[in-house]
Coordinates of all heavy atoms in Angstrom, one line a residue:
D467 N -30.6 -0.6 -34.0 CA -30.6 -2.0 -33.4 C -30.6 -1.8 -31.9 O -29.7 -1.2 -31.3 CB -29.4 -2.7 -33.8 CG -29.3 -4.1 -33.3 OD1 -30.0 -4.5 -32.3 OD2 -28.5 -4.9 -33.8
P468 N -31.7 -2.2 -31.2 CA -31.8 -2.0 -29.7 C -30.6 -2.6 -28.9 O -30.3 -2.1 -27.9 CB -33.1 -2.6 -29.3 CG -33.9 -2.7 -30.6 CD -32.9 -2.9 -31.7
F469 N -30.0 -3.6 -29.5 CA -28.9 -4.3 -28.8 C -27.6 -4.1 -29.4 O -26.7 -4.9 -29.3 CB -29.3 -5.8 -28.6 CG -30.5 -6.1 -27.9 CD1 -31.7 -6.5 -28.5 CD2 -30.6 -5.8 -26.5 CE1 -32.9 -6.7 -27.8 CE2 -31.7 -6.0 -25.8 CZ -32.9 -6.4 -26.4
K470 N -27.4 -2.9 -30.0 CA -26.1 -2.4 -30.4 C -26.0 -1.0 -30.1 O -26.9 -0.2 -30.6 CB -26.0 -2.7 -31.9 CG -24.6 -2.2 -32.5 CD -24.5 -2.4 -34.0 CE -23.2 -1.8 -34.5 NZ -23.1 -2.0 -36.0
V471 N -25.0 -0.5 -29.4 CA -24.9 0.9 -29.1 C -24.6 1.7 -30.3 O -23.6 1.4 -31.0 CB -23.8 1.1 -28.0 CG1 -23.6 2.6 -27.8 CG2 -24.3 0.5 -26.7
T472 N -25.5 2.6 -30.6 CA -25.3 3.5 -31.8 C -25.1 4.9 -31.3 O -25.9 5.5 -30.6 CB -26.5 3.4 -32.7 OG1 -26.8 2.1 -33.1 CG2 -26.3 4.3 -33.9
L473 N -23.9 5.4 -31.6 CA -23.6 6.8 -31.2 C -24.0 7.8 -32.3 O -23.5 7.8 -33.4 CB -22.1 6.9 -30.9 CG -21.6 8.3 -30.5 CD1 -22.2 8.6 -29.1 CD2 -20.1 8.3 -30.4
I474 N -24.9 8.7 -31.9 CA -25.4 9.7 -32.8 C -25.3 11.0 -32.0 O -26.0 11.2 -31.1 CB -26.8 9.5 -33.3 CG1 -26.9 8.2 -34.2 CG2 -27.2 10.7 -34.2 CD1 -28.2 7.9 -34.7
G475 N -24.4 11.9 -32.4 CA -24.1 13.1 -31.6 C -23.5 12.7 -30.3 O -22.5 11.9 -30.3
D476 N -24.1 13.1 -29.2 CA -23.6 12.7 -27.9 C -24.5 11.6 -27.3 O -24.3 11.2 -26.1 CB -23.7 13.9 -26.9 CG -23.0 13.7 -25.6 OD1 -21.9 13.1 -25.6 OD2 -23.5 14.1 -24.6
R477 N -25.4 11.1 -28.1 CA -26.3 10.0 -27.5 C -25.9 8.6 -27.9 O -25.6 8.3 -29.1 CB -27.7 10.3 -28.1 CG -28.4 11.6 -27.6 CD -29.8 11.7 -28.2 NE -30.5 12.9 -27.7 CZ -31.7 13.2 -27.9 NH1 -32.5 12.4 -28.7 NH2 -32.3 14.3 -27.4
M478 N -25.8 7.8 -26.9 CA -25.5 6.4 -27.1 C -26.9 5.6 -27.0 O -27.4 5.4 -25.9 CB -24.6 5.8 -26.0 CG -23.2 6.5 -26.1 SD -22.0 5.7 -24.9 CE -22.7 6.3 -23.3
Y479 N -27.4 5.3 -28.1 CA -28.7 4.6 -28.2 C -28.5 3.1 -27.9 O -27.6 2.5 -28.5 CB -29.4 4.8 -29.5 CG -29.9 6.2 -29.8 CD1 -29.1 7.1 -30.5 CD2 -31.2 6.6 -29.4 CE1 -29.6 8.4 -30.7 CE2 -31.6 7.8 -29.6 CZ -30.8 8.7 -30.3 OH -31.3 10.0 -30.5
G480 N -29.4 2.5 -27.2 CA -29.3 1.0 -27.0 C -30.1 0.7 -25.7 O -30.1 1.4 -24.7
R481 N -30.7 -0.5 -25.7 CA -31.5 -1.0 -24.5 C -30.5 -1.3 -23.4 O -29.6 -2.1 -23.5 CB -32.3 -2.2 -24.9 CG -33.1 -2.7 -23.7 CD -34.1 -1.7 -23.2 NE -35.4 -1.8 -23.8 CZ -36.2 -0.7 -24.0 NH1 -35.7 0.5 -23.7 NH2 -37.3 -0.8 -24.6
G482 N -30.7 -0.6 -22.3 CA -29.8 -0.8 -21.1 C -28.8 0.3 -20.9 O -28.1 0.3 -19.9
T483 N -28.6 1.2 -21.9 CA -27.7 2.3 -21.7 C -28.1 3.2 -20.6 O -27.2 3.7 -19.8 CB -27.6 3.1 -23.0 OG1 -28.9 3.6 -23.4 CG2 -26.9 2.3 -24.1
E484 N -29.4 3.4 -20.4 CA -29.9 4.2 -19.2 C -30.3 3.3 -18.1 O -30.1 3.7 -16.9 CB -31.0 5.0 -19.8 CG -31.8 5.8 -18.7 CD -31.2 7.2 -18.5 OE1 -30.1 7.3 -17.9 OE2 -31.8 8.2 -19.0
D485 N -30.9 2.2 -18.4 CA -31.5 1.3 -17.3 C -31.2 -0.1 -17.6 O -31.9 -0.8 -18.3 CB -33.0 1.6 -17.4 CG -33.8 0.9 -16.2 OD1 -33.1 0.5 -15.3 OD2 -35.0 0.8 -16.4
D486 N -30.1 -0.7 -17.0 CA -29.3 -0.1 -16.0 C -27.9 -0.7 -16.1 O -27.2 -0.8 -15.1 CB -29.9 -0.5 -14.6 CG -29.2 0.1 -13.4 OD1 -28.7 1.2 -13.5 OD2 -29.0 -0.6 -12.4
K487 N -27.5 -1.0 -17.3 CA -26.2 -1.6 -17.5 C -25.1 -0.5 -17.3 O -23.9 -0.9 -17.0 CB -26.1 -2.3 -18.9 CG -26.9 -3.5 -19.0 CD -26.9 -4.2 -20.3 CE -27.8 -5.5 -20.2 NZ -27.8 -6.2 -21.5
N488 N -25.5 0.7 -17.5 CA -24.5 1.8 -17.2 C -24.1 1.8 -15.7 O -22.9 2.0 -15.4 CB -25.2 3.2 -17.6 CG -26.5 3.4 -16.8 OD1 -27.3 2.5 -16.7 ND2 -26.7 4.6 -16.3
G489 N -25.0 1.5 -14.9 CA -24.7 1.4 -13.4 C -23.7 0.3 -13.1 O -22.8 0.5 -12.3
I490 N -23.9 -0.9 -13.8 CA -22.9 -2.0 -13.6 C -21.5 -1.5 -14.0 O -20.5 -1.7 -13.2 CB -23.3 -3.2 -14.4 CG1 -24.7 -3.7 -14.0 CG2 -22.3 -4.3 -14.3 CD1 -25.2 -4.8 -14.9
V491 N -21.4 -0.8 -15.1 CA -20.1 -0.5 -15.7 C -19.4 0.5 -14.8 O -18.2 0.4 -14.4 CB -20.3 0.1 -17.1 CG1 -18.9 0.6 -17.6 CG2 -20.8 -1.0 -18.0
V492 N -20.1 1.6 -14.4 CA -19.4 2.7 -13.7 C -19.0 2.2 -12.3 O -17.9 2.5 -11.7 CB -20.2 4.0 -13.6 CG1 -20.5 4.5 -15.0 CG2 -21.5 3.8 -12.8
A493 N -19.8 1.3 -11.7 CA -19.5 0.8 -10.4 C -18.2 -0.2 -10.5 O -17.3 -0.1 -9.6 CB -20.6 0.0 -9.8
L494 N -18.2 -1.0 -11.5 CA -17.0 -1.9 -11.7 C -15.7 -1.1 -11.9 O -14.7 -1.4 -11.3 CB -17.3 -2.8 -12.9 CG -18.1 -4.0 -12.7 CD1 -18.4 -4.6 -14.1 CD2 -17.4 -5.0 -11.8
Y495 N -15.8 0.0 -12.7 CA -14.6 0.7 -12.9 C -14.2 1.6 -11.7 O -13.0 1.8 -11.4 CB -14.7 1.6 -14.1 CG -14.4 0.9 -15.4 CD1 -15.4 0.2 -16.1 CD2 -13.1 0.9 -15.9 CE1 -15.1 -0.6 -17.2 CE2 -12.8 0.2 -17.1 CZ -13.8 -0.6 -17.7 OH -13.5 -1.3 -18.9
A496 N -15.1 2.0 -10.9 CA -14.8 2.7 -9.7 C -14.1 1.8 -8.7 O -13.1 2.2 -8.1 CB -16.1 3.3 -9.0
M497 N -14.6 0.6 -8.6 CA -13.9 -0.4 -7.7 C -12.6 -0.8 -8.2 O -11.6 -1.0 -7.4 CB -14.8 -1.7 -7.7 CG -16.2 -1.4 -7.0 SD -17.3 -2.8 -7.2 CE -16.9 -3.8 -5.7
K498 N -12.4 -0.9 -9.5 CA -11.1 -1.2 -10.1 C -10.1 -0.1 -9.8 O -8.9 -0.4 -9.4 CB -11.2 -1.2 -11.7 CG -9.9 -1.3 -12.4 CD -10.2 -1.2 -13.9 CE -8.9 -1.0 -14.7 NZ -7.9 -2.1 -14.6
I499 N -10.5 1.1 -9.9 CA -9.6 2.3 -9.6 C -9.1 2.2 -8.1 O -7.9 2.4 -7.8 CB -10.2 3.6 -10.0 CG1 -10.3 3.7 -11.5 CG2 -9.4 4.8 -9.4 CD1 -11.3 4.8 -12.0
I500 N -10.1 2.1 -7.2 CA -9.8 2.0 -5.8 C -8.8 0.9 -5.5 O -7.9 1.0 -4.7 CB -11.1 2.0 -5.0 CG1 -11.8 3.3 -5.1 CG2 -10.8 1.7 -3.5 CD1 -13.2 3.3 -4.5
K501 N -9.1 -0.3 -6.1 CA -8.2 -1.4 -5.9 C -6.8 -1.2 -6.4 O -5.8 -1.5 -5.7 CB -8.9 -2.6 -6.6 CG -8.1 -3.9 -6.5 CD -8.3 -4.6 -5.1 CE -7.6 -5.9 -5.1 NZ -7.9 -6.6 -3.8
E502 N -6.7 -0.7 -7.6 CA -5.3 -0.6 -8.2 C -4.5 0.5 -7.6 O -3.3 0.5 -7.6 CB -5.4 -0.5 -9.7 CG -6.0 0.7 -10.3 CD -6.1 0.6 -11.8 OE1 -6.0 -0.5 -12.4 OE2 -6.5 1.7 -12.4
E503 N -5.2 1.5 -7.1 CA -4.5 2.6 -6.4 C -4.3 2.3 -4.9 O -3.7 3.2 -4.2 CB -5.4 3.9 -6.5 CG -5.5 4.5 -7.9 CD -4.1 4.8 -8.5 OE1 -3.2 5.2 -7.8 OE2 -4.0 4.7 -9.8
Q504 N -4.8 1.1 -4.5 CA -4.6 0.7 -3.1 C -5.1 1.7 -2.1 O -4.5 1.9 -1.1 CB -3.1 0.4 -2.9 CG -2.5 -0.6 -3.8 CD -1.0 -0.9 -3.5 OE1 -0.7 -1.3 -2.4 NE2 -0.2 -0.7 -4.5
L505 N -6.3 2.2 -2.4 CA -6.9 3.2 -1.5 C -7.5 2.4 -0.4 O -8.3 1.5 -0.5 CB -8.0 3.9 -2.3 CG -8.6 5.1 -1.6 CD1 -7.6 6.3 -1.5 CD2 -9.9 5.6 -2.4
P506 N -7.1 2.8 0.8 CA -7.6 2.0 2.0 C -9.1 2.3 2.3 O -9.5 3.4 2.1 CB -6.7 2.5 3.2 CG -6.3 3.9 2.7 CD -6.1 3.8 1.2
L507 N -9.8 1.3 2.7 CA -11.2 1.4 2.9 C -11.5 1.0 4.4 O -11.0 0.0 4.9 CB -12.0 0.6 2.0 CG -11.9 0.9 0.5 CD1 -12.6 -0.1 -0.4 CD2 -12.4 2.3 0.2
A508 N -12.5 1.7 5.0 CA -12.9 1.4 6.4 C -14.0 0.4 6.4 O -14.4 -0.1 7.4 CB -13.3 2.6 7.1
R509 N -14.5 0.0 5.2 CA -15.6 -1.0 5.1 C -15.6 -1.6 3.7 O -14.9 -1.2 2.8 CB -16.9 -0.3 5.3 CG -17.1 0.9 4.4 CD -18.2 1.9 4.8 NE -18.1 2.2 6.2 CZ -17.3 3.2 6.7 NH1 -16.6 3.9 5.8 NH2 -17.2 3.5 7.9
D510 N -16.3 -2.7 3.6 CA -16.4 -3.4 2.3 C -17.5 -2.8 1.4 O -18.4 -2.2 1.9 CB -16.9 -4.9 2.5 CG -15.8 -5.7 3.3 OD1 -14.7 -5.2 3.5 OD2 -16.1 -6.8 3.6
F511 N -17.3 -2.9 0.1 CA -18.3 -2.6 -0.9 C -18.6 -3.9 -1.6 O -17.8 -4.7 -2.0 CB -17.7 -1.6 -1.9 CG -17.7 -0.2 -1.4 CD1 -16.6 0.4 -0.9 CD2 -18.9 0.6 -1.6 CE1 -16.6 1.7 -0.4 CE2 -18.9 1.9 -1.1 CZ -17.7 2.5 -0.5
K512 N -19.9 -4.1 -1.9 CA -20.4 -5.2 -2.7 C -21.3 -4.7 -3.7 O -22.3 -4.1 -3.5 CB -21.1 -6.2 -1.8 CG -20.2 -7.0 -0.9 CD -21.0 -8.1 -0.2 CE -20.1 -8.9 0.9 NZ -19.0 -9.6 0.2

Side-chain angles (χ1 to χ4, degrees):
D467 181 344
F469 297 108
K470 178 182 179 181
V471 172
T472 302
L473 180 63
I474 299 178
D476 190 43
R477 295 180 174 184
M478 296 186 289
Y479 290 95
R481 179 61 89 217
T483 52
E484 174 90 284
D485 185 18
D486 182 40
K487 291 178 178 178
N488 57 319
I490 299 172
V491 174
V492 298
L494 277 171
Y495 275 88
M497 296 170 87
K498 168 184 171 63
I499 290 165
I500 291 171
K501 179 76 172 183
E502 67 187 11
E503 293 298 330
Q504 302 180 56
L505 190 67
L507 300 173
R509 54 196 51 84
D510 294 351
F511 282 94
K512 289 187 184 293

